[in-house]
Amino acid sequence: MKTIEVLVDRPYPVHIGQDLLNDIAGAVPTSANKVAIIFAPAVTSRAHSIGDLLKQEVVYVELPDGELAKTPQALQECWEILGKNAFTRSDFIISVGGGATSDLAGFVAATWLRGVNAIHVPTTLLAMVDAAVGGKTGINISAGKNLVGAFHHPHSVWCDIETLNTLPIADLRAGFGEIVKCGFISDVVILDVVRKHGAQLVDVQHPALIELISRSIAVKAAVVADDFTESKIGGLGREILNYGHTLAHAIEKFENYGRRHGEAVSIGMVFVAELSAQLGKLSQAEVAEHRLLLQSLGLPTSYDGRAWPELRGAMSIDKKSRGDVLRFVVLESIGVPAIAESPSEEQLQAAFVAISVGGGR
Ligand SMILES: NC(=O)c1ccc[n+]([C@@H]2O[C@H](COP(=O)([O-])OP(=O)(O)OC[C@H]3O[C@@H](n4cnc5c(N)ncnc54)[C@H](O)[C@@H]3O)[C@@H](O)[C@H]2O)c1
Ligand SMILES: [Zn+2]
């Protein structure tokens, strides 16, 4: 088992390994009398396997699937269940599921009695390398995704590779979008591993998978420890995790959130690599490296050129832009992120033309 400490004001460990059920159950201190296991329907048996090993009284809370878990209704349901079961400050919440589950359960933990302990057991690759680490929690409302939320550190995070066995291959593949992102913005060893093994990595049994997950978590942990609340002024903070995300969010909105996040991020990274080239930062060889590595994992790297007007409009209202200024995380070189503010319309369009179907290299 590997452990990465997230060095925020209340440091917490992220454990990565195989067969962690007993360790997870052992992580709940005896001072807790009750544990609410908040879980996604797809991982019901995993949630019960953890609950069976707990010494505490266990309350199971099954959420609706996927994004339907991140609603005010599901949140209220959780509060009511905790209330009925008289949960106190010393009791624990364990989330078992993907990012939607940890976002909702984390928000429940942040708000119940103004904050109780949450243990996250992420069961998708995306949740392991991204959603469950970093302390951001939240729900969706009709005005938009993730508009309501809180920062709340978990007590600990347990990435049990075993849980990925049931994850559909397309979801596993999409998780690599964020892993490769961590390589481009910081840990270039990740890119070496992808270069070496390519598509073979999209396999839960692959021995290099734990290393890639650990390295990606280490990147996120370092960035988060440096800038927990995303308010860093001056130098680069948590914003660098948004590499590829400005276009990705526009694509997700354009496709009514029907597209996997990691796939949209993959396309978004090639776009912003092209933009970095337009700005005189990346070389064409470095942009080609983006395509090569992402394609080797079976991730998409181009988009329908006709969508540009709508995508461009959506990018202007992306919540990640500050004020009227359109900000992009770009690369100076592989592994070295920078911020580009207000690139010209010509540069934006040229970058998009380069990733458009028929316009790519
Ligand atoms: N808080 C953060 O910092 C952060 C970061 C990134 C993403 N997110 C959020 O995470 C969510 C996306 O996470 P996701 O991609 O994990 O999606 P998800 O939680 O919706 O899970 C995807 C699907 O896979 C199923 N599933 C989960 N684990 C499984 C398993 N082991 N076997 C079979 N099926 C399984 C789920 O039930 C769901 O249907 C979004 O809501 C996003 O906003 C949050
Ligand atoms: Zn992301």
Side-chain angles (χ1 to χ4, degrees), residues 241-264:
L241 297 169
N242 291 331
Y243 186 59
H245 279 56
T246 309
L247 183 69
H249 289 146
I251 289 173
E252 288 178 295
K253 193 169 176 210
F254 182 64
E255 296 191 24
N256 279 322
Y257 299 96
R259 150 104 54 181
R260 287 179 185 80
H261 177 67
E263 294 172 5

Side-chain angles (χ1 to χ4, degrees), residues 18-77:
Q18 298 269 13
D19 297 321
L20 302 180
L21 283 180
N22 282 303
D23 303 89
I24 296 167
V28 182
T30 48
S31 52
N33 291 318
K34 294 172 188 166
V35 176
I37 301 188
I38 301 181
F39 63 98
V43 289
T44 302
S45 67
R46 175 77 27 182
H48 281 269
S49 304
I50 295 169
D52 289 346
L53 292 168
L54 287 169
K55 295 185 180 65
Q56 288 80 4
E57 181 186 331
V58 179
V59 176
Y60 292 97
V61 186
E62 179 172 335
L63 296 175
D65 192 34
E67 287 297 303
L68 292 176
K70 288 176 59 172
T71 61
Q73 293 78 1
L75 174 66
Q76 182 167 5
E77 179 84 356

Side-chain angles (χ1 to χ4, degrees), residues 246-290:
T246 309
L247 183 69
H249 289 146
I251 289 173
E252 288 178 295
K253 193 169 176 210
F254 182 64
E255 296 191 24
N256 279 322
Y257 299 96
R259 150 104 54 181
R260 287 179 185 80
H261 177 67
E263 294 172 5
V265 170
S266 175
I267 299 164
M269 286 192 288
V270 183
F271 167 74
V272 90
E274 289 284 3
L275 183 63
S276 306
Q278 287 292 326
L279 296 167
K281 296 175 188 293
L282 287 188
S283 68
Q284 276 308 324
E286 289 169 314
V287 179
E289 183 77 352
H290 278 68

Side-chain angles (χ1 to χ4, degrees), residues 40 43 95-104 121-128 131-132:
V43 289
S95 79
V96 186
T101 307
S102 53
D103 271 9
L104 184 274
V121 182
T123 63
T124 64
L125 186 55
L126 180 90
M128 288 183 183

Side-chain angles (χ1 to χ4, degrees), residues 317-339:
I317 52 172
D318 183 59
K319 73 175 162 43
K320 296 293 194 290
S321 16
R322 296 185 188 171
D324 290 336
V325 182
L326 199 51
R327 286 166 68 90
F328 288 89
V329 181
V330 293
L331 294 186
E332 292 287 353
S333 59
I334 302 287
V336 185
I339 299 296

